[in-house]
Amino acid sequence: MTGKTHQIIGASASLTYYLSATTIAYNPATLGAVLVFGYIGSLLPDIDQSSGKLWNHLPFGKTISKIPTKLLKHRNITHSLLGVALVSVGFYYLFRSFPDYWGINTNTVFICTMIAYLSHLIADMITVEGIPLFFPYKRFFGLPPKPFQGFRVMTGKWFENLVIFPAFTIYFIILIIANWENIKKLILK
């Protein structure tokens, strides 16, 4: 999948969890953190390629992005269960370092971030290439499995651009409209 599709799928998945699992009360800091880290989590698996969209938002990203690209192939450790474990440990300790006075529910933000990260992996599993789910084992896994792999999506082609991306965009808009009153309670006092 392309970066824009990962963004909308990750944002939709993390915001859906947040709005369904949280107590609706004034907490703009947590909502902001969910949106920011959901965005980061949805793009983080592609940090192993210099054209990854996340690099565009970092200072000196174009320069720094060349380091992991030389060390890693795309869809390698960052697209595996081992990558999920390493990233989750990293985010766990990052969120534990947030001071209480920020008012961020770090457990919720952690879950939303990992949902966005996992949504990226699931989205890439339905592509023709699949992902190395059990890295360092080199076999790539995808959905649907063989012998039905002919139904997988080609990255950046018509089905992603005309069906998947618009469907998740419409879902995201409906999610916001349907939960507008709750969102207002989260951000307005």
Side-chain angles (χ1 to χ4, degrees):
M1 298 283 164
T2 58
K4 67 178 184 178
T5 305
H6 285 306
Q7 285 174 291
I8 196 66
I9 292 172
S12 298
S14 59
L15 191 59
T16 298
Y17 172 80
Y18 179 65
L19 292 173
S20 64
T22 191
T23 303
I24 302 301
Y26 177 72
N27 196 340
T30 299
L31 177 60
V34 163
L35 294 174
V36 168
F37 284 100
Y39 177 82
I40 292 169
S42 69
L43 296 176
L44 192 60
D46 284 341
I47 204 157
D48 60 1
Q49 75 184 104
S50 62
S51 63
K53 201 166 186 174
L54 193 57
W55 289 117
N56 296 334
H57 303 295
L58 297 174
F60 307 106
K62 290 289 183 194
T63 305
I64 298 169
S65 69
K66 292 176 175 66
I67 297 168
T69 304
K70 290 182 180 186
L71 301 173
L72 300 170
K73 283 181 11 186
H74 181 52
R75 291 198 183 177
N76 219 320
I77 191 170
T78 59
H79 285 74
S80 69
L81 294 177
L82 177 59
V84 170
L86 294 172
V87 166
S88 66
V89 168
F91 276 123
Y92 174 78
Y93 285 108
L94 173 67
F95 295 145
R96 280 190 49 180
S97 72
F98 288 8
D100 290 338
Y101 64 84
W102 284 2
I104 297 174
N105 182 337
T106 55
N107 291 332
T108 300
V109 175
F110 173 77
I111 293 169
C112 290
T113 303
M114 294 314 300
I115 286 171
Y117 191 95
L118 289 167
S119 76
H120 183 116
L121 301 188
I122 293 168
D124 278 352
M125 282 183 81
I126 67 166
T127 63
V128 172
E129 188 177 12
I131 64 170
L133 193 60
F134 300 109
F135 179 86
Y137 180 60
K138 300 214 186 281
R139 181 167 180 248
F140 279 58
F141 293 86
L143 295 172
K146 292 181 181 179
F148 304 106
Q149 72 269 24
F151 293 106
R152 294 187 195 164
V153 177
M154 292 188 70
T155 300
K157 299 300 183 192
W158 73 270
F159 193 78
E160 177 184 351
N161 292 322
L162 298 176
V163 178
I164 296 172
F165 180 75
F168 275 95
T169 302
I170 291 167
Y171 171 77
F172 188 72
I173 292 168
I174 291 170
L175 178 68
I176 291 173
I177 292 170
N179 289 284
W180 186 244
E181 290 304 314
N182 289 338
I183 293 169
K184 285 193 324 190
K185 289 177 189 173
L186 288 166
I187 60 176
L188 301 174
K189 201 165 197 180

